[in-house]
Amino acid sequence: MKKVFISPSILTADFARLEQECKSLHKSGADWIHCDVMDGMFVPNMTFGMPIVYSIRKCVVLPLDVHLMIVEPKRYVEQFAKAGADIITFHIEATDDVVGTIDLIKKCGKKVGLSIKPNTPVEQLLPYKGMFDLLLVMSVEPGFGGQAFIEESLQKIEKARELFPDVLIEVDGGVNFSTCQKVIQAGADVLVAGSAVFNADNRKQAIEQLRKC
Ligand code: DX5
Ligand code: ZN
């Protein structure tokens, strides 16, 4: 059986207790920590930027999976790299300079993730084949935690798996105990889960349950 990585999103964390929250994810068996960066422009919500990523970097050793939901992400790649991101994922809808952004992430020595919103076909990533490490399929409209999984995402995950057999497929949005099984069956390698982990009474059990779905 292939290994499924769990990357809890701290969007649903208690930010006043961020250190304890991140340490609790580590103790509970999370593989990565997913950091949702929003600018209020690319998505209708704002979250946090480099200083918070840097603070998280100081308190856990887990890989930081930084999901940039910002316009013209290239402007901030170097700063997120310096703050301690390990994987930098950006939306191809957010820039006309996808290749330049990929090159800059690589120049900073980080893994490259490309993401698509629910209405963007997977085929739009074909021009970048061979240039990236991770493909993040959004299974809700980006911007908020706690939304319902969009069922049509399953076909997109299958298509992503077929077109890009060598990259990690990550799925983000509405991943919980009732959707994880079909998401993994469709071909996902990495599950992002915000509310399913943070709202669970027992986070360790929740992470195990998601992984074994
Ligand atoms: C949404 C974010 C997701 C979100 C996931 O824009 O990218 O990472 O926080 O939250 P849940 O798991 O609650 O859907
Ligand atoms: Zn995300």
Side-chain angles (χ1 to χ4, degrees):
M1 225 168 68
K2 73 166 183 185
K3 158 122 178 151
V4 173
F5 293 86
I6 307 297
S7 187
S9 162
I10 55 156
L11 192 58
T12 316
D14 176 354
F15 282 84
R17 302 172 57 253
L18 200 49
E19 180 174 7
Q20 293 99 305
E21 295 280 60
C22 291
K23 287 184 171 159
S24 120
L25 293 178
H26 191 190
K27 268 195 3 213
S28 304
D31 297 292
W32 301 349
I33 294 186
H34 186 85
C35 303
D36 283 310
V37 176
M38 304 186 189
D39 64 354
M41 295 285 287
F42 182 70
V43 289
N45 194 10
M46 291 171 104
T47 53
F48 53 81
M50 296 77 74
I52 296 284
V53 172
Y54 181 64
S55 302
I56 297 172
R57 177 73 295 155
K58 284 195 293 183
C59 57
V60 275
V61 294
L62 291 177
L64 300 186
D65 166 28
V66 174
H67 178 191
L68 299 180
M69 285 162 273
I70 63 177
V71 292
E72 295 305 341
K74 195 173 157 200
R75 297 174 297 152
Y76 291 101
V77 163
E78 282 157 307
Q79 294 182 57
F80 279 104
K82 278 201 195 100
D86 295 284
I87 304 157
I88 300 181
T89 297
F90 67 96
H91 278 262
I92 62 164
E93 305 93 346
T95 177
D96 290 329
D97 188 13
V98 174
V99 174
T101 310
I102 292 175
D103 287 346
L104 185 56
I105 298 174
K106 285 186 180 160
K107 196 173 142 221
C108 294
K110 307 299 175 182
K111 298 274 186 215
V112 178
L114 295 187
S115 185
I116 46 172
K117 297 203 281 185
N119 291 330
T120 305
V122 182
E123 287 80 358
Q124 285 197 16
L125 293 161
L126 281 171
Y128 316 111
K129 193 164 178 166
M131 299 183 197
F132 61 99
D133 305 286
L134 176 145
L135 193 172
L136 172 54
V137 175
M138 284 304 305
S139 40
V140 298
E141 280 302 331
F144 300 92
Q147 303 181 73
F149 183 83
I150 298 172
E151 290 294 323
E152 289 76 29
S153 313
L154 294 171
Q155 287 89 50
K156 280 181 85 175
I157 300 165
E158 283 168 6
K159 193 78 198 164
R161 182 77 289 160
E162 182 195 322
L163 295 177
F164 303 97
D166 303 325
V167 306
L168 289 172
I169 308 285
E170 181 173 38
V171 179
D172 185 6
V175 175
N176 55 37
F177 310 118
S178 36
T179 55
C180 57
Q181 191 171 12
K182 38 194 185 185
V183 170
I184 294 173
Q185 274 170 4
D189 303 292
V190 187
L191 305 186
V192 176
S195 33
V197 170
F198 279 96
N199 297 343
D201 293 334
N202 185 324
R203 290 180 184 171
K204 192 172 168 35
Q205 267 176 19
I207 289 173
E208 277 167 17
Q209 202 179 330
L210 287 169
R211 205 195 298 283
K212 288 197 192 124
C213 247

